[in-house]
Short mmCIF file of all heavy atoms in Angstrom, two decimals:
data_model
loop_
_atom_site.label_atom_id
_atom_site.label_comp_id
_atom_site.label_asym_id
_atom_site.label_seq_id
_atom_site.Cartn_x
_atom_site.Cartn_y
_atom_site.Cartn_z
N ASN B 20 83.94 123.82 120.57
CA ASN B 20 83.77 125.04 119.78
C ASN B 20 82.94 126.09 120.50
O ASN B 20 83.09 127.28 120.24
CB ASN B 20 83.13 124.72 118.43
CG ASN B 20 84.12 124.07 117.49
OD1 ASN B 20 85.34 124.20 117.69
ND2 ASN B 20 83.63 123.37 116.47
N ARG B 21 82.05 125.61 121.39
CA ARG B 21 81.22 126.57 122.11
C ARG B 21 81.88 127.11 123.38
O ARG B 21 81.53 128.19 123.86
CB ARG B 21 79.86 125.94 122.46
CG ARG B 21 78.93 125.84 121.25
CD ARG B 21 77.51 125.50 121.66
NE ARG B 21 77.38 124.15 122.18
CZ ARG B 21 77.03 123.09 121.46
NH1 ARG B 21 76.79 123.22 120.18
NH2 ARG B 21 76.92 121.90 122.01
N LEU B 22 82.83 126.37 123.94
CA LEU B 22 83.42 126.78 125.22
C LEU B 22 84.05 128.17 125.21
O LEU B 22 83.85 128.95 126.14
CB LEU B 22 84.47 125.75 125.67
CG LEU B 22 83.96 124.47 126.33
CD1 LEU B 22 85.14 123.68 126.86
CD2 LEU B 22 82.98 124.77 127.45
N PRO B 23 84.85 128.53 124.18
CA PRO B 23 85.44 129.87 124.19
C PRO B 23 84.39 130.97 124.24
O PRO B 23 84.61 132.03 124.81
CB PRO B 23 86.23 129.93 122.88
CG PRO B 23 86.55 128.51 122.57
CD PRO B 23 85.34 127.74 123.04
N ARG B 24 83.23 130.69 123.65
CA ARG B 24 82.17 131.70 123.67
C ARG B 24 81.60 131.82 125.10
O ARG B 24 81.36 132.93 125.57
CB ARG B 24 81.08 131.31 122.67
CG ARG B 24 80.10 132.41 122.38
CD ARG B 24 79.35 132.23 121.07
NE ARG B 24 78.26 133.18 121.03
CZ ARG B 24 76.99 132.90 121.37
NH1 ARG B 24 76.64 131.67 121.72
NH2 ARG B 24 76.07 133.85 121.34
N TYR B 25 81.38 130.71 125.79
CA TYR B 25 80.99 130.78 127.20
C TYR B 25 82.01 131.58 127.98
O TYR B 25 81.67 132.43 128.79
CB TYR B 25 80.91 129.37 127.82
CG TYR B 25 79.73 128.55 127.39
CD1 TYR B 25 79.87 127.38 126.67
CD2 TYR B 25 78.44 128.93 127.76
CE1 TYR B 25 78.79 126.61 126.28
CE2 TYR B 25 77.34 128.17 127.38
CZ TYR B 25 77.53 127.01 126.63
OH TYR B 25 76.45 126.26 126.27
N TYR B 26 83.27 131.27 127.72
CA TYR B 26 84.36 131.93 128.45
C TYR B 26 84.32 133.44 128.22
O TYR B 26 84.48 134.23 129.14
CB TYR B 26 85.70 131.34 128.00
CG TYR B 26 86.87 131.82 128.83
CD1 TYR B 26 87.13 131.28 130.08
CD2 TYR B 26 87.71 132.81 128.35
CE1 TYR B 26 88.19 131.72 130.85
CE2 TYR B 26 88.78 133.27 129.12
CZ TYR B 26 89.01 132.71 130.36
OH TYR B 26 90.06 133.16 131.11
N ARG B 27 84.07 133.83 126.98
CA ARG B 27 84.01 135.26 126.65
C ARG B 27 82.84 135.94 127.37
O ARG B 27 83.00 137.00 127.96
CB ARG B 27 83.87 135.42 125.13
CG ARG B 27 83.62 136.84 124.67
CD ARG B 27 83.99 137.05 123.21
NE ARG B 27 83.32 136.15 122.29
CZ ARG B 27 82.12 136.37 121.75
NH1 ARG B 27 81.44 137.46 122.06
NH2 ARG B 27 81.60 135.51 120.90
N TYR B 28 81.66 135.31 127.34
CA TYR B 28 80.50 135.91 127.99
C TYR B 28 80.71 136.02 129.50
O TYR B 28 80.38 137.04 130.11
CB TYR B 28 79.23 135.10 127.68
CG TYR B 28 78.55 135.57 126.42
CD1 TYR B 28 78.98 135.13 125.18
CD2 TYR B 28 77.52 136.52 126.46
CE1 TYR B 28 78.40 135.58 124.01
CE2 TYR B 28 76.93 136.98 125.30
CZ TYR B 28 77.37 136.51 124.08
OH TYR B 28 76.80 136.98 122.93
N LEU B 29 81.26 134.96 130.10
CA LEU B 29 81.49 135.00 131.55
C LEU B 29 82.53 136.05 131.89
O LEU B 29 82.43 136.73 132.91
CB LEU B 29 81.90 133.60 132.04
CG LEU B 29 80.75 132.59 131.98
CD1 LEU B 29 81.28 131.16 132.04
CD2 LEU B 29 79.75 132.84 133.11
N GLY B 30 83.54 136.21 131.03
CA GLY B 30 84.54 137.25 131.23
C GLY B 30 83.91 138.64 131.19
O GLY B 30 84.25 139.51 132.00
N ASP B 31 82.98 138.84 130.26
CA ASP B 31 82.28 140.13 130.19
C ASP B 31 81.46 140.39 131.46
O ASP B 31 81.43 141.51 131.98
CB ASP B 31 81.33 140.17 128.97
CG ASP B 31 82.10 140.25 127.65
OD1 ASP B 31 83.32 140.54 127.69
OD2 ASP B 31 81.50 140.03 126.59
N LEU B 32 80.80 139.34 131.96
CA LEU B 32 80.02 139.48 133.20
C LEU B 32 80.92 139.81 134.38
O LEU B 32 80.59 140.63 135.23
CB LEU B 32 79.25 138.18 133.49
CG LEU B 32 78.09 137.86 132.55
CD1 LEU B 32 77.61 136.43 132.78
CD2 LEU B 32 76.94 138.84 132.78
N LEU B 33 82.07 139.15 134.40
CA LEU B 33 83.05 139.36 135.46
C LEU B 33 83.53 140.81 135.46
O LEU B 33 83.66 141.43 136.51
CB LEU B 33 84.22 138.40 135.21
CG LEU B 33 85.02 137.91 136.41
CD1 LEU B 33 84.13 137.27 137.45
CD2 LEU B 33 86.08 136.90 135.94
N GLU B 34 83.77 141.35 134.28
CA GLU B 34 84.19 142.75 134.16
C GLU B 34 83.13 143.70 134.72
O GLU B 34 83.44 144.79 135.18
CB GLU B 34 84.45 143.10 132.68
CG GLU B 34 85.87 142.77 132.24
CD GLU B 34 86.09 143.09 130.76
OE1 GLU B 34 85.38 143.95 130.21
OE2 GLU B 34 86.98 142.46 130.16
#
Side-chain angles (χ1 to χ4, degrees):
Chain B
N20 285 340
R21 285 193 291 266
L22 280 187
R24 193 160 168 263
Y25 286 116
Y26 188 79
R27 173 159 56 87
Y28 272 83
L29 290 162
D31 289 347
L32 289 169
L33 209 54
E34 273 179 24

